[in-house]
Amino acid sequence: MSSKDLHGEVFYPSEEVVKNANVPDWDALQKEAGEDYEKFWGKRAEELHWFKKWDKVLDDSDKPFYKWFTGGKTNIAYNCLDVHVKTHRRNKLALIWEGENGDMRMLSYYRLHRETCKFANVLRSLGVSKGDRVTIYMGRTPEIVMAMLACARIGAIHSVVYGGFSVEALHERIEDSKSKVLIVSDGAYLRGKIVPLKQIADEALKRAGGIEHVLVVKRTGQDINMEDGRDLWLHELMALPIATQNCALEITDAEDPLFMLYTSGTTGKPKAILHTHGGYMVGTYTTLKYVFDIKEEDRYWCAADPGWITGHSYIVYGPLLNGATSFMYEGAPTHPYPNRWWNLVEKYGINILYTAPTAIRGLMRFGDAWVNRHDLSSLRLLGSVGEPINPEAWKWYYKVVGNEKCPIMDTWWQTETGMFMITPMPSVPLKPGSGTKPFPGIEMDIFDENGNPVKDNEEGYLVIKTPWPAMIRTIYNDPDRYVEQYWKKYPGVYMTGDSAKRDEDGYIWVIGRVDDVIKVSGYRLGTAEIESALVSHPSVAEAAAIGLPHEVKGNAIYTYVILKQGVEPTEELKETLKNHVGHEVGPIAKPQQIKFVDSLPKTRSGKIMRRVLKAKELGVDPGNLSTLDES
Ligand code: WT7
């Protein structure tokens, strides 16, 4: 990809960047991986610790239930912590943290290992053992990292629910996962206020059974309800003799489940994407090292939330596997002023910043002066994820934040892929808005309806043709849905749910979702979740939700509601319904607009035709209407 005659607007890396990159020669890596991707991943896996080496890198005897590193024995938490504690990294900072209120904590590898072991012993004392599910519902504090790693250490399966979700979303996820223990913070600081996480959890637990213990982490310190026998303070248990720093490690099979993470699909309930210890470890370790070019002395900041896959792979596991120093910030980018992030970059000397287009657009709105007040010369590399980045935002990020010297890694991937799939590396020429090409060893294509590759610059379905180590293993408790959702449309080929184009240089341009998933501020929401929240209100008979373009959020949620007979369609009711969705799913799911309607466009089999609603709002051609029921 070093060619100097690419088409369109191209930003070439400086010689200095190429010379110092972990991968100075992309083409050579591509060649190595392209020739034999199993050998390629096997070689990367050797850089990590295995108690017993694998028998086979890839076992594809039961497609699409691919297995990686079968027969191998390891533990991802051991590779994240124990391995480093035995080296010069013992005293190195693993985590630097700043709270929104200015609190500050720094944890060395030694300290993070010790706290995690103590935490793991606390979990064991509550009866958690290998294979048990633990739901984690917390703000962004170091304890969320410890909680995840403590589960991994003892072979328990964590299910993190993003702290921005609310009562019903949490309830559904606790119930579906059949978790034994819930770990929750009392609250989290956001925009100068407290998000009452424990209170929301209490409400969710009234709807869900099965949780034996709630482990409460003190962060905000306001009064909360503690239920006798069920709720326990973490800090009290951590002070007991059971919480020693010696915690026997569970040696896991490469294919033992590590975590599940719920994400929205086309229909019905959110699905639990399952990832495992071995392949996920190799995938996140390698991609972070090559793409974000992690160096020993770097301070790396992924500004996502640990509650999403970005946080799992690239705040928690990827950086720790690499022995890196990660920075984590609790609150909002604009609190108390729009320079908070830039102040943090300067104050902590951040070298690598990874965020989402929606955040970039949001901060761009406040103008350059807020950025220019700060010395951002420590920055060496920038990253973007979550949705396509529009060239204006890319250029602002490149010029104003990166001072025209930081390559931007626009990484395309999904909860299901676990790791970067389409991404540049620092030595690769960039085109604003394109994630460039698939990561070496991964073959992707763009298909038409019949599974034939489309021509250059034509739009089609983005698919993945080769398995990769951090890939989804199944949907927890629903293997049929796993096959149906991802492998059915084109047999043997993974269907991403996105549409894309490829240009004459082979660069891929992702356009967006082709299913009923809406990306709001980079967050993935299902129309079904929003609709069922609306219908759960006593005044609503039927509802439909669509996403429409929004300048900062990428998409905003528009909804159409048929009220029950006799219910008055007032402005006040619209507000009530918006708040109801916020209360049930979470503030991110609040509709921008509610329209009261008498009917919804449906197919003759009764499916809502959301594309018709969308076309109408945008004033464009709704396409083929042959299935529309006009009776
Ligand atoms: C969907 C997956 C994986 C990180 C966070 C999102 C969209 C993600 C990009 C990008 C264009 C992107 C896709 C994808 N997406 N990154 N760099 N350029 N689109 O994970 O919540 O599972 O969402 O996010 O539509 O399918 P997720």
Short mmCIF file of all heavy atoms in Angstrom, two decimals, residues 217-252:
data_model
loop_
_atom_site.label_atom_id
_atom_site.label_comp_id
_atom_site.label_asym_id
_atom_site.label_seq_id
_atom_site.Cartn_x
_atom_site.Cartn_y
_atom_site.Cartn_z
N VAL A 217 -19.92 -1.18 44.49
CA VAL A 217 -18.67 -0.42 44.52
C VAL A 217 -19.00 1.02 44.88
O VAL A 217 -19.86 1.64 44.25
CB VAL A 217 -18.00 -0.46 43.12
CG1 VAL A 217 -16.72 0.36 43.12
CG2 VAL A 217 -17.74 -1.89 42.69
N LYS A 218 -18.33 1.54 45.89
CA LYS A 218 -18.62 2.92 46.31
C LYS A 218 -17.86 3.89 45.43
O LYS A 218 -16.64 3.86 45.36
CB LYS A 218 -18.20 3.10 47.77
CG LYS A 218 -18.76 4.35 48.38
CD LYS A 218 -18.43 4.42 49.86
CE LYS A 218 -19.50 5.16 50.59
NZ LYS A 218 -19.79 4.60 51.90
N ARG A 219 -18.57 4.75 44.73
CA ARG A 219 -17.91 5.77 43.93
C ARG A 219 -18.42 7.16 44.32
O ARG A 219 -17.65 8.05 44.62
CB ARG A 219 -18.17 5.51 42.43
CG ARG A 219 -17.91 6.71 41.53
CD ARG A 219 -16.43 7.10 41.55
NE ARG A 219 -16.15 8.30 40.77
CZ ARG A 219 -15.44 9.34 41.21
NH1 ARG A 219 -14.92 9.34 42.42
NH2 ARG A 219 -15.22 10.38 40.43
N THR A 220 -19.74 7.35 44.31
CA THR A 220 -20.29 8.69 44.53
C THR A 220 -20.67 8.92 45.98
O THR A 220 -20.71 10.05 46.44
CB THR A 220 -21.51 8.91 43.61
OG1 THR A 220 -22.32 7.74 43.62
CG2 THR A 220 -21.06 9.20 42.20
N GLY A 221 -20.98 7.86 46.71
CA GLY A 221 -21.20 7.97 48.14
C GLY A 221 -22.56 8.50 48.58
O GLY A 221 -22.76 8.77 49.76
N GLN A 222 -23.50 8.68 47.65
CA GLN A 222 -24.83 9.13 48.10
C GLN A 222 -25.55 7.97 48.78
O GLN A 222 -25.13 6.82 48.67
CB GLN A 222 -25.65 9.68 46.91
CG GLN A 222 -26.37 8.66 46.05
CD GLN A 222 -25.48 8.03 44.99
OE1 GLN A 222 -24.26 8.04 45.10
NE2 GLN A 222 -26.08 7.46 43.98
N ASP A 223 -26.65 8.30 49.48
CA ASP A 223 -27.42 7.25 50.16
C ASP A 223 -28.04 6.30 49.16
O ASP A 223 -28.66 6.74 48.20
CB ASP A 223 -28.57 7.89 50.97
CG ASP A 223 -28.11 8.19 52.38
OD1 ASP A 223 -27.05 7.65 52.77
OD2 ASP A 223 -28.80 8.97 53.07
N ILE A 224 -27.86 5.02 49.39
CA ILE A 224 -28.53 4.06 48.51
C ILE A 224 -29.18 2.98 49.37
O ILE A 224 -28.84 2.83 50.54
CB ILE A 224 -27.54 3.38 47.52
CG1 ILE A 224 -26.36 2.76 48.28
CG2 ILE A 224 -27.06 4.35 46.46
CD1 ILE A 224 -25.58 1.78 47.44
N ASN A 225 -30.06 2.24 48.74
CA ASN A 225 -30.71 1.15 49.44
C ASN A 225 -29.79 -0.08 49.41
O ASN A 225 -29.27 -0.44 48.36
CB ASN A 225 -32.04 0.89 48.71
CG ASN A 225 -32.56 -0.51 48.94
OD1 ASN A 225 -32.74 -0.92 50.08
ND2 ASN A 225 -32.77 -1.25 47.86
N MET A 226 -29.57 -0.69 50.58
CA MET A 226 -28.78 -1.93 50.61
C MET A 226 -29.68 -3.02 51.18
O MET A 226 -30.09 -2.94 52.35
CB MET A 226 -27.53 -1.76 51.49
CG MET A 226 -26.48 -0.82 50.93
SD MET A 226 -25.62 -1.44 49.46
CE MET A 226 -24.43 -2.57 50.17
N GLU A 227 -29.97 -4.01 50.38
CA GLU A 227 -30.88 -5.04 50.85
C GLU A 227 -30.13 -6.10 51.65
O GLU A 227 -29.17 -6.68 51.18
CB GLU A 227 -31.58 -5.68 49.64
CG GLU A 227 -32.83 -6.42 50.07
CD GLU A 227 -33.66 -6.84 48.87
OE1 GLU A 227 -34.06 -5.95 48.09
OE2 GLU A 227 -33.87 -8.06 48.72
N ASP A 228 -30.63 -6.31 52.85
CA ASP A 228 -30.00 -7.25 53.78
C ASP A 228 -29.84 -8.63 53.16
O ASP A 228 -30.78 -9.17 52.61
CB ASP A 228 -30.87 -7.40 55.04
CG ASP A 228 -30.22 -6.71 56.22
OD1 ASP A 228 -29.12 -6.16 56.02
OD2 ASP A 228 -30.81 -6.74 57.32
N GLY A 229 -28.64 -9.17 53.28
CA GLY A 229 -28.43 -10.54 52.80
C GLY A 229 -28.11 -10.61 51.32
O GLY A 229 -27.46 -11.52 50.87
N ARG A 230 -28.60 -9.63 50.54
CA ARG A 230 -28.35 -9.67 49.10
C ARG A 230 -27.22 -8.72 48.69
O ARG A 230 -26.34 -9.08 47.92
CB ARG A 230 -29.63 -9.28 48.35
CG ARG A 230 -29.52 -9.42 46.84
CD ARG A 230 -30.66 -8.73 46.08
NE ARG A 230 -30.53 -7.27 46.14
CZ ARG A 230 -31.40 -6.43 45.58
NH1 ARG A 230 -32.46 -6.88 44.96
NH2 ARG A 230 -31.22 -5.12 45.67
N ASP A 231 -27.25 -7.51 49.24
CA ASP A 231 -26.32 -6.47 48.79
C ASP A 231 -25.11 -6.36 49.73
O ASP A 231 -25.27 -6.30 50.95
CB ASP A 231 -27.03 -5.11 48.73
CG ASP A 231 -28.22 -5.14 47.78
OD1 ASP A 231 -28.44 -6.17 47.12
OD2 ASP A 231 -28.95 -4.12 47.73
N LEU A 232 -23.94 -6.30 49.14
CA LEU A 232 -22.71 -6.23 49.93
C LEU A 232 -21.79 -5.17 49.37
O LEU A 232 -21.68 -5.02 48.15
CB LEU A 232 -21.99 -7.59 49.86
CG LEU A 232 -22.79 -8.80 50.34
CD1 LEU A 232 -22.30 -10.07 49.68
CD2 LEU A 232 -22.72 -8.91 51.86
N TRP A 233 -21.11 -4.44 50.25
CA TRP A 233 -20.14 -3.44 49.79
C TRP A 233 -18.83 -4.13 49.41
O TRP A 233 -18.28 -4.89 50.20
CB TRP A 233 -19.86 -2.42 50.89
CG TRP A 233 -20.95 -1.41 51.08
CD1 TRP A 233 -21.83 -1.36 52.12
CD2 TRP A 233 -21.25 -0.29 50.23
NE1 TRP A 233 -22.68 -0.28 51.96
CE2 TRP A 233 -22.34 0.39 50.81
CE3 TRP A 233 -20.73 0.19 49.02
CZ2 TRP A 233 -22.91 1.53 50.25
CZ3 TRP A 233 -21.28 1.33 48.46
CH2 TRP A 233 -22.37 1.99 49.06
N LEU A 234 -18.33 -3.81 48.26
CA LEU A 234 -17.06 -4.40 47.84
C LEU A 234 -15.94 -4.06 48.82
O LEU A 234 -15.17 -4.93 49.23
CB LEU A 234 -16.68 -3.90 46.43
CG LEU A 234 -15.32 -4.39 45.95
CD1 LEU A 234 -15.36 -5.87 45.58
CD2 LEU A 234 -14.82 -3.58 44.76
N HIS A 235 -15.86 -2.77 49.23
CA HIS A 235 -14.72 -2.38 50.06
C HIS A 235 -14.72 -3.10 51.41
O HIS A 235 -13.68 -3.35 51.99
CB HIS A 235 -14.64 -0.86 50.23
CG HIS A 235 -15.81 -0.26 50.94
ND1 HIS A 235 -16.89 0.25 50.27
CD2 HIS A 235 -16.07 -0.09 52.26
CE1 HIS A 235 -17.77 0.72 51.14
NE2 HIS A 235 -17.28 0.52 52.35
N GLU A 236 -15.91 -3.47 51.88
CA GLU A 236 -15.96 -4.21 53.14
C GLU A 236 -15.44 -5.64 52.95
O GLU A 236 -14.67 -6.14 53.76
CB GLU A 236 -17.38 -4.23 53.70
CG GLU A 236 -17.78 -2.86 54.27
CD GLU A 236 -19.21 -2.82 54.82
OE1 GLU A 236 -19.89 -3.86 54.79
OE2 GLU A 236 -19.62 -1.73 55.26
N LEU A 237 -15.81 -6.25 51.85
CA LEU A 237 -15.34 -7.62 51.60
C LEU A 237 -13.84 -7.65 51.28
O LEU A 237 -13.13 -8.58 51.66
CB LEU A 237 -16.13 -8.27 50.46
CG LEU A 237 -17.63 -8.43 50.67
CD1 LEU A 237 -18.25 -9.28 49.58
CD2 LEU A 237 -17.96 -9.04 52.03
N MET A 238 -13.38 -6.60 50.61
CA MET A 238 -11.95 -6.54 50.24
C MET A 238 -11.08 -6.40 51.49
O MET A 238 -9.87 -6.63 51.44
CB MET A 238 -11.67 -5.37 49.29
CG MET A 238 -12.25 -5.53 47.91
SD MET A 238 -11.33 -6.62 46.82
CE MET A 238 -10.38 -5.44 45.86
N ALA A 239 -11.68 -5.98 52.62
CA ALA A 239 -10.91 -5.81 53.85
C ALA A 239 -10.90 -7.10 54.69
O ALA A 239 -10.20 -7.17 55.70
CB ALA A 239 -11.50 -4.66 54.67
N LEU A 240 -11.65 -8.08 54.29
CA LEU A 240 -11.72 -9.33 55.07
C LEU A 240 -10.55 -10.27 54.74
O LEU A 240 -9.98 -10.18 53.66
CB LEU A 240 -13.03 -10.07 54.77
CG LEU A 240 -14.34 -9.36 55.15
CD1 LEU A 240 -15.53 -10.21 54.72
CD2 LEU A 240 -14.39 -9.07 56.64
N PRO A 241 -10.23 -11.17 55.69
CA PRO A 241 -9.12 -12.10 55.44
C PRO A 241 -9.31 -12.98 54.20
O PRO A 241 -8.32 -13.44 53.63
CB PRO A 241 -9.09 -12.97 56.70
CG PRO A 241 -9.86 -12.23 57.73
CD PRO A 241 -10.81 -11.33 57.03
N ILE A 242 -10.54 -13.22 53.75
CA ILE A 242 -10.73 -14.04 52.55
C ILE A 242 -10.14 -13.38 51.30
O ILE A 242 -9.80 -14.05 50.33
CB ILE A 242 -12.22 -14.32 52.23
CG1 ILE A 242 -13.04 -13.03 52.35
CG2 ILE A 242 -12.80 -15.44 53.06
CD1 ILE A 242 -13.85 -12.72 51.16
N ALA A 243 -10.06 -12.03 51.35
CA ALA A 243 -9.62 -11.31 50.15
C ALA A 243 -8.10 -11.18 50.12
O ALA A 243 -7.56 -10.08 50.09
CB ALA A 243 -10.29 -9.95 50.09
N THR A 244 -7.40 -12.30 50.11
CA THR A 244 -5.94 -12.21 50.04
C THR A 244 -5.53 -11.94 48.60
O THR A 244 -6.32 -12.10 47.67
CB THR A 244 -5.27 -13.54 50.46
OG1 THR A 244 -5.62 -14.53 49.50
CG2 THR A 244 -5.71 -13.97 51.84
N GLN A 245 -4.26 -11.59 48.44
CA GLN A 245 -3.77 -11.34 47.09
C GLN A 245 -3.31 -12.62 46.40
O GLN A 245 -2.86 -12.58 45.26
CB GLN A 245 -2.66 -10.30 47.10
CG GLN A 245 -1.40 -10.75 47.80
CD GLN A 245 -0.30 -9.71 47.72
OE1 GLN A 245 -0.57 -8.57 47.38
NE2 GLN A 245 0.92 -10.10 48.03
N ASN A 246 -3.39 -13.72 47.12
CA ASN A 246 -3.07 -15.00 46.48
C ASN A 246 -4.36 -15.64 46.00
O ASN A 246 -5.20 -16.00 46.80
CB ASN A 246 -2.35 -15.94 47.45
CG ASN A 246 -1.03 -15.35 47.89
OD1 ASN A 246 -0.27 -14.86 47.05
ND2 ASN A 246 -0.79 -15.32 49.18
N CYS A 247 -4.48 -15.74 44.71
CA CYS A 247 -5.72 -16.26 44.17
C CYS A 247 -5.39 -17.29 43.10
O CYS A 247 -4.81 -16.95 42.07
CB CYS A 247 -6.53 -15.11 43.57
SG CYS A 247 -7.93 -15.66 42.62
N ALA A 248 -5.74 -18.53 43.38
CA ALA A 248 -5.42 -19.61 42.44
C ALA A 248 -6.03 -19.29 41.08
O ALA A 248 -7.20 -18.92 40.97
CB ALA A 248 -5.96 -20.93 42.97
N LEU A 249 -5.21 -19.44 40.07
CA LEU A 249 -5.64 -19.13 38.70
C LEU A 249 -6.41 -20.31 38.11
O LEU A 249 -6.02 -21.45 38.30
CB LEU A 249 -4.40 -18.86 37.85
CG LEU A 249 -4.65 -18.58 36.37
CD1 LEU A 249 -5.02 -17.13 36.17
CD2 LEU A 249 -3.44 -18.95 35.54
N GLU A 250 -7.48 -20.01 37.41
CA GLU A 250 -8.19 -21.05 36.66
C GLU A 250 -7.51 -21.15 35.29
O GLU A 250 -7.55 -20.19 34.51
CB GLU A 250 -9.66 -20.63 36.51
CG GLU A 250 -10.54 -21.66 35.88
CD GLU A 250 -10.87 -22.82 36.81
OE1 GLU A 250 -11.25 -22.57 37.98
OE2 GLU A 250 -10.73 -23.98 36.35
N ILE A 251 -6.90 -22.27 35.04
CA ILE A 251 -6.29 -22.43 33.71
C ILE A 251 -7.40 -22.81 32.74
O ILE A 251 -8.11 -23.79 32.95
CB ILE A 251 -5.16 -23.48 33.75
CG1 ILE A 251 -4.02 -22.90 34.61
CG2 ILE A 251 -4.66 -23.81 32.34
CD1 ILE A 251 -2.85 -23.82 34.80
N THR A 252 -7.58 -21.98 31.72
CA THR A 252 -8.73 -22.18 30.83
C THR A 252 -8.30 -22.79 29.51
O THR A 252 -7.17 -22.62 29.06
CB THR A 252 -9.42 -20.83 30.54
OG1 THR A 252 -8.44 -19.91 30.08
CG2 THR A 252 -10.10 -20.28 31.77
#
